[in-house]
């Protein structure tokens, strides 16, 4: 049996091909979305999914999320005292999904098709394969996420050549891919995106609007508890607007109550700037693919944030027609992975041209920007090679020192997309000595980047032609086969929290998160309820635990819905 897995930044899903159609497999909580979060419990056992996500807030030192963004790097994440590589954390998520599938299918699951973003580099793809191996899975195939989305919509069933555009707006990123299927070979003709545009930005925009409209004192912005609660309310309101035309956002701080009504038209108006930013990656992708809009056979929506009607309308306006959205956008990639798994089992799998010959991140230096007169702003990131540039590539840019008498320039090299250098990943630094008494004080900085991820930085002082250079090793993070084997046995020794107990564990984790959030009487009440439930769990007697869990869930649900609106005592 080959399964299809969407190993996502926020959530992961597993699906199988069954009776001629793909089917999602729910986890032990009965949910198809398993948060890509890992946490180590007090007894050293591993929690994956919702319980781990709850513990991100209550036990941040023992919990991790967003590690997909670190794949292919040699970053280390500590959960308590134990160090994990990004592949290992991904492997724990994969292992949990594999166990869910095995429990549902009642047979061992050993092979998988795993999806990756189209722009993943060779190193990121190798790290994903390693994660599969560490989870005890043979990775039959890595499949591009947009290809998976197109497969879920049956691109392979069309006659002749077909061209799809996949519009994927997730929690934090926006990706547009133009796909071309010809003679059973799928090619990503172009991809473009915005690494800093996603569903979370709609929440931040509404939070700002709430402060203005409901006249919330600005000082509350530094109150973490208030901000956390407000963001949760706003997230709920955003989702509510996907199903109904209006909603209300309420928040309370002590005796003060704040409130804002919101309907679709106002939501659209507040988020106009974000919606406008969707346009340029679409235009860029179509231009790079040299395709007029009219030649697209289908436009497919993926990513949870495309559930927002305002986003769908914007897409419809841009494309002059309604995009396909019959399949849940947060499930479409996993379903497509299962379609590929099904094709593979029948020996009819689609082939793909994989684009790994692009720079996955922008590479540049930290610079100082003159604001006015002698006013400067330091630490701005200035890209020299931009993300998605075809490699190998060599680019040069000229820089000047800010001070007339400056003797040294410290070139700091970064990778990433953030505006400020310190928000990106620092790769190295190079000291460039400047001669005095010369007219041209410029320095040419050349970046040369190759397929192995090797970055060569060369700074040439114009006046003297003196050259300073630095070589930054590519892909420092990859594991050898031998290391994978060693880590596999180390990882296998870690106990994953027993499946049959995960529901109650998740409930306790959620209650602990709420406990931190509350103050005064409600906090005391909830604290007592947690202790009472833990006492019931200690009996290990299902006849006591089951009714206690039911009652405890009702209490937790009550506090969860009311927590932000309740007065403190
Ligand atoms: P993904 O990364 O694809 O899981 O997308 C997650 C994003 O989708 C988050 O920003 C969610 O807030 C958003 N999202 C999920 N469901 C909905 C919904 N029903 N309405 C609006 N946004 C949603």
């Amino acid at each position: 049996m080959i399964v299809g897995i969407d190993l996502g930044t926020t959530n992961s899903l597993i699906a199988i091909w069954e009776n001629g159609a793909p089917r999602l497999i729910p986890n032990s909580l009965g949910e198809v979305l398993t948060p890509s979060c890992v946490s180590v419990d007090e007894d050293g056992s591993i929690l994956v999914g919702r319980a781990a996500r709850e513990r991100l807030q209550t036990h941040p030192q023992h919990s991790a999320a967003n590690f997909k963004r670190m794949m292919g790097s040699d970053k280390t994440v500590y959960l308590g005292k134990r160090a994990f590589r990004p592949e290992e954390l991904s492997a724990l998520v994969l292992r949990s999904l594999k166990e869910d599938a095995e429990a549902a299918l009642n047979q061992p699951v050993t092979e998988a098709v795993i999806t990756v973003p189209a722009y993943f580099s060779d190193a990121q793809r190798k790290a994903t394969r390693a994660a599969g191996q560490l989870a005890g899975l043979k990775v039959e195939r890595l499949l591009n996420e947009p290809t998976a989305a197109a497969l879920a919509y049956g691109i392979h069933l069309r006659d002749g050549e077909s061209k799809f555009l996949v519009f994927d707006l997730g929690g934090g990123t926006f990706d547009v891919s133009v796909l071309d299927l010809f003679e059973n070979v799928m090619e990503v003709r172009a991809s473009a995106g915005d690494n800093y545009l996603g569903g979370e930005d709609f929440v931040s925009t509404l939070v700002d609007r709430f402060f203005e409209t409901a006249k919330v004192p600005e000082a509350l912005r530094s109150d973490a508890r208030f901000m956390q609660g407000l963001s949760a309310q706003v997230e709920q309101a955003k989702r509510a607007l996907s199903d109904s035309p209006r909603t209300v956002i309420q928040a309370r701080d002590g005796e003060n109550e704040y409130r804002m009504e919101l309907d679709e038209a106002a939501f659209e108006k507040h988020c106009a700037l974000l919606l406008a930013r969707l346009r340029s990656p679409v235009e860029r992708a179509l231009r790079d693919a040299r395709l007029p809009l009219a030649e697209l056979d289908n436009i497919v929506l993926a990513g949870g944030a495309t559930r927002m009607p305002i986003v769908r309308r914007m897409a419809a306006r841009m494309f002059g027609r309604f995009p396909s959205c019959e399949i849940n956008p947060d499930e479409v990639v996993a379903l497509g992975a299962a379609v590929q798994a099904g094709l593979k089992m029948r020996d009819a799998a689609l082939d793909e041209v994989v684009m790994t010959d692009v720079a996955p991140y922008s590479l540049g230096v930290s610079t100082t920007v003159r604001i006015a007169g002698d006013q400067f702003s330091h630490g701005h990131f200035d890209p020299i090679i931009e993300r998605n540039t075809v490699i190998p590539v060599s680019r040069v840019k000229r820089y000047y020192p800010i001070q007339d008498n400056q003797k040294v320039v410290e070139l700091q090299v970064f990778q990433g997309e953030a505006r400020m250098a310190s928000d990106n990943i620092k790769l190295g630094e190079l000291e460039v000595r400047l001669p005095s008494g010369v007219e041209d004080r410029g320095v040419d900085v050349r970046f040369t980047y190759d397929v192995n991820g090797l970055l060569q930085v060369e700074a040439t002082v114009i006046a003297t032609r003196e050259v300073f250079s630095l070589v930054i090793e590519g892909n420092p993070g990859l594991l050898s086969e031998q290391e994978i084997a060693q880590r596999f046995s180390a990882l296998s020794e870690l106990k994953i929290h027993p499946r049959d107990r995960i529901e109650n564990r998740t409930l306790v984790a959620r209650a602990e998160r709420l406990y931190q959030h509350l103050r005064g009487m409600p906090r005391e009440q909830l604290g007592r309820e947690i202790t009472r439930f833990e006492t019931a769990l200690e009996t290990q007697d299902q006849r006591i635990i089951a009714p206690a869990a039911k009652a405890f869930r009702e209490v937790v649900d009550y506090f969860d819905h009311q927590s932000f609106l309740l007065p403190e005592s």
Side-chain angles (χ1 to χ4, degrees), residues 389-455:
T389 308
V390 173
I391 50 179
V393 61
S394 191
R395 293 267 156 85
V396 66
K397 260 191 176 179
R398 184 162 295 182
Y399 295 94
Y400 291 92
I402 346 167
Q403 312 288 353
D404 287 343
N405 53 357
Q406 198 169 325
K407 292 201 169 58
V408 172
V409 174
E410 287 283 355
L411 270 185
Q412 304 206 27
V413 181
F414 289 88
Q415 87 174 22
E417 316 302 322
R419 194 171 65 88
M420 299 312 288
S422 57
D423 294 331
N424 293 314
I425 296 171
K426 186 166 170 184
L427 298 178
E429 59 185 37
L430 176 66
E431 191 182 277
V432 181
R433 286 183 301 280
L434 299 174
S436 44
V438 293
E439 207 164 283
D440 193 340
R441 310 247 310 142
V443 176
D444 273 343
V445 179
R446 175 175 289 281
F447 273 25
T448 308
Y449 190 65
D450 72 8
V451 246
N452 299 317
L454 203 75
L455 174 66

Side-chain angles (χ1 to χ4, degrees), residues 10-11 169-171 199-200 235 238-239 242 303-305 307-308 330:
T10 338
N11 291 302
L169 187 66
E200 286 150 23
E235 173 72 34
K238 180 183 81 170
R239 290 178 185 230
S242 297
R307 284 178 184 253
M308 285 186 276
D330 30 22

Side-chain angles (χ1 to χ4, degrees), residues 212-251:
E212 257 174 58
T213 315
K215 305 210 168 35
V216 185
E218 280 299 310
L220 279 175
R221 280 191 190 271
S222 44
D223 182 335
R225 173 184 159 272
F226 180 82
M227 291 306 285
Q228 236 173 47
L230 178 59
S231 299
Q233 290 285 309
V234 168
E235 173 72 34
Q236 253 180 36
K238 180 183 81 170
R239 290 178 185 230
L241 281 180
S242 297
D243 301 318
S244 60
R246 58 179 56 81
T247 186
V248 176
I249 305 173
Q250 281 171 286

Side-chain angles (χ1 to χ4, degrees), residues 95-106:
R95 208 164 104 190
S96 161
L97 296 172
K98 174 177 173 321
E99 285 173 12
D100 289 333
E102 286 173 340
L105 303 171
N106 216 2

Side-chain angles (χ1 to χ4, degrees), residues 427-558:
L427 298 178
E429 59 185 37
L430 176 66
E431 191 182 277
V432 181
R433 286 183 301 280
L434 299 174
S436 44
V438 293
E439 207 164 283
D440 193 340
R441 310 247 310 142
V443 176
D444 273 343
V445 179
R446 175 175 289 281
F447 273 25
T448 308
Y449 190 65
D450 72 8
V451 246
N452 299 317
L454 203 75
L455 174 66
Q456 197 178 2
V457 181
E458 226 175 50
T460 309
V461 178
I462 315 261
T464 57
R465 308 307 304 166
E466 191 178 356
V467 177
F468 298 84
S469 64
L470 168 74
V471 175
I472 295 164
E473 180 73 43
N475 309 343
L478 292 180
L479 293 176
S480 66
E481 281 299 319
Q482 197 189 354
E483 283 169 318
I484 292 177
Q486 277 164 2
R487 283 171 186 265
F488 175 75
S489 26
L491 214 59
S492 307
E493 280 164 20
L494 284 181
K495 278 187 294 147
I496 293 219
H497 202 86
R499 272 176 54 84
D500 56 351
R501 274 183 246 151
I502 198 79
E503 190 165 354
N504 291 336
R505 189 65 198 82
T506 307
L507 198 55
V508 172
R510 189 170 141 220
E512 282 176 334
R513 193 240 313 145
L514 275 173
Y515 177 86
Q516 290 204 341
H517 188 70
L518 294 167
R519 285 194 291 206
M521 277 288 282
R523 183 176 203 172
E524 272 176 44
Q525 276 173 1
L526 183 62
R528 276 197 300 274
E529 295 290 345
I530 297 176
T531 314
R532 197 200 311 244
F533 184 53
E534 280 178 338
T535 314
L537 288 179
E538 275 162 23
T539 64
Q540 298 190 20
D541 181 346
Q542 263 313 312
R543 284 168 306 186
I544 295 172
I545 294 175
K550 185 165 176 288
F552 186 52
R553 179 178 299 281
E554 279 166 17
V555 171
V556 177
D557 280 345
Y558 170 80

